[in-house]
Amino acid sequence: MKENNLKVFINKINQGELFYENDLLVFNYSQDAKDIVSLTMPIRSNSWINKKLHPIFQMNLPEGSLKDAIKTHFSKIKKMDDLGLLKLVGPHMLGRVKFNEVAHNKKDLKLEDILENNSLGLFQELLDKFAISSGVSGVQPKILLSAHNKNTMKFEHYIVKSWTSEFDNLALNEYFCMKAIKYSKLTTPEFYISDNNTMFIMKRFDVKEDNTYFGFEDMCVLTGRNTEDKYEGSCEEITRVIKDNIATHNRKQSLKDFFKATIMNHFLRNGDGHLKNYGILYDKDFQDASLAPIYDVITTTIYFKKDIPALKISDVKLWWKEKTYKNFAKQSCALTNKEYKEIIKDCKNAITKAKIDIDIYIKDKNKDQEFLNKLKNTWIDQLN
């Protein structure tokens, strides 16, 4: 293997190599490869060639403050292009696809220590310690780590998120939005908030009991887009991806779940439900592929009053009228009128329950009242 080539591993088994050639990025499967790197890149003898990093390989590259932290530490000694970044974080990348070698992170944390720690500087301490082992995408500051869960008596895998001063109480925002999502009967990962409200913690849904990984690919990958194009495309396009890639016995439920998630984004005023926030989860034989659990939901209009949805429906981006949602439900999601009404009812009930939770929190904690009342009042439960 040449010095600048990267070995590509799927669940700890080398399946090919990634390298630059004539200013192009080239991936070749090895002769004995048995597992695909992506649903969009089946095994073949010909090279997979791209002008930019292939979408599946850039899916979990760090962004935002985490990427800046890594570049600050290493730019003087390593070239920080995409391959340079992959060399650093590749062994630790989120999910089944990793690069060069597969690292084993130290398991010396306890989940309760993170949840119960009242130090405002804890996230920065964790960032300093785990930055290089946090191959996870997104602009919001976040890190990957393993911690011991006293309830299961096992080390489990988590994503820990904080926020910048630009977005007040983002952890509380996500926590209560995700409670609403859960109340709507959508599948979500396990999630927590630290006692001092500075960190949102989510258990990873792609890790199996034996510490191997399910396949997970977001809609940027599955529509052949780069990460920077995550606000392109449409909800109709996602339904086509679901129909093309999800197993027949899971397809109907996945379409219902995606439609429900779209309605919940409307009620919660989440303008950041982009292509990287939806994906497909599958095992090695692809026969159980389904829509991944719903994650990364926040109320964005509390920070940007005139924010609009991230993706189009009927070729426009706005908070649509009920007629548009009904047409989308029928034409793209193949839902009956009865199914449509049941989903709207579930979503309305979810908003009501989450608002009650906010009221209980304010009464019990006697803090963050102004922000949480504003959050609650931003939510709606009607389609005009």
Side-chain angles (χ1 to χ4, degrees), residues 130-377:
F130 292 100
I132 302 308
S133 59
S134 291
V136 56
S137 67
V139 175
Q140 184 181 351
K142 63 185 76 169
I143 51 180
L144 301 178
L145 52 80
S146 295
H148 189 264
N149 187 328
K150 66 181 180 181
N151 294 320
T152 63
M153 299 302 292
K154 295 188 299 184
F155 280 97
E156 296 180 333
H157 304 270
Y158 299 92
I159 298 173
V160 181
K161 298 194 256 183
S162 185
W163 76 82
T164 62
S165 58
E166 184 180 0
F167 302 112
D168 184 37
N169 278 310
L170 191 58
L172 267 180
N173 186 333
E174 184 165 1
Y175 179 70
F176 282 109
C177 284
M178 287 301 298
K179 292 200 81 171
I181 293 293
K182 189 172 183 178
Y183 284 141
S184 75
K185 304 175 188 177
L186 283 165
T187 301
T188 69
E190 289 181 25
F191 58 89
Y192 313 86
I193 192 166
S194 62
D195 287 353
N196 63 2
N197 299 338
T198 64
M199 291 180 289
F200 179 85
I201 299 98
M202 185 183 83
K203 183 179 175 182
R204 288 173 54 183
F205 54 76
D206 62 328
V207 184
K208 302 181 186 180
E209 288 292 323
D210 62 359
N211 282 326
T212 60
Y213 298 87
F214 292 107
F216 171 76
E217 299 183 32
D218 66 33
M219 292 297 169
C220 267
V221 174
L222 295 168
T223 60
R225 288 185 171 91
N226 296 312
T227 296
E228 60 264 29
D229 298 322
K230 62 187 178 183
Y231 294 103
E232 301 298 322
S234 67
C235 292
E236 288 92 345
E237 192 170 5
I238 291 178
T239 63
R240 290 194 290 271
V241 170
I242 290 172
K243 292 170 185 176
D244 289 344
N245 292 281
I246 286 182
T248 304
H249 60 283
N250 288 332
R251 194 173 300 151
K252 177 71 171 181
Q253 188 61 50
S254 293
L255 287 168
K256 290 173 71 174
D257 287 348
F258 177 64
F259 179 73
K260 182 177 283 186
T262 303
I263 296 298
M264 287 301 294
N265 280 342
H266 181 97
F267 285 175
L268 294 169
R269 284 303 193 252
N270 174 28
D272 205 39
H274 51 66
L275 291 174
K276 291 188 71 62
N277 285 345
Y278 299 103
I280 287 178
L281 197 66
Y282 59 89
D283 211 342
K284 189 173 182 179
D285 61 5
F286 319 119
Q287 296 304 307
D288 59 349
S290 62
L291 190 71
I294 302 301
Y295 58 95
D296 283 6
V297 179
I298 62 168
T299 298
T300 60
T301 58
I302 201 169
Y303 308 114
F304 309 105
K305 188 175 181 180
K306 296 183 179 180
D307 200 17
I308 58 175
L311 300 173
K312 296 177 182 177
I313 295 180
S314 296
D315 208 33
V316 293
K317 289 185 183 182
L318 46 78
W319 302 111
W320 300 277
K321 302 293 184 182
E322 184 172 22
K323 181 179 178 181
T324 302
Y325 286 115
K326 277 188 173 180
N327 289 338
F328 175 64
K330 181 179 179 180
Q331 296 172 10
S332 296
C333 302
L335 303 185
T336 65
N337 191 50
K338 180 181 178 182
E339 289 169 332
Y340 171 85
K341 289 181 178 179
E342 287 175 348
I343 287 172
I344 299 301
K345 182 180 179 181
D346 284 344
C347 294
K348 288 181 177 181
N349 289 340
I351 296 296
T352 298
K353 290 180 180 179
K355 285 183 175 182
I356 292 172
D357 278 356
I358 289 177
D359 289 338
I360 293 171
Y361 176 92
I362 292 172
K363 184 178 179 180
D364 289 349
K365 300 288 187 178
N366 196 28
K367 62 180 181 178
D368 304 303
Q369 181 173 348
E370 182 178 355
F371 175 83
L372 288 172
N373 278 329
K374 185 178 179 182
L375 180 69
K376 184 178 65 172
N377 292 334

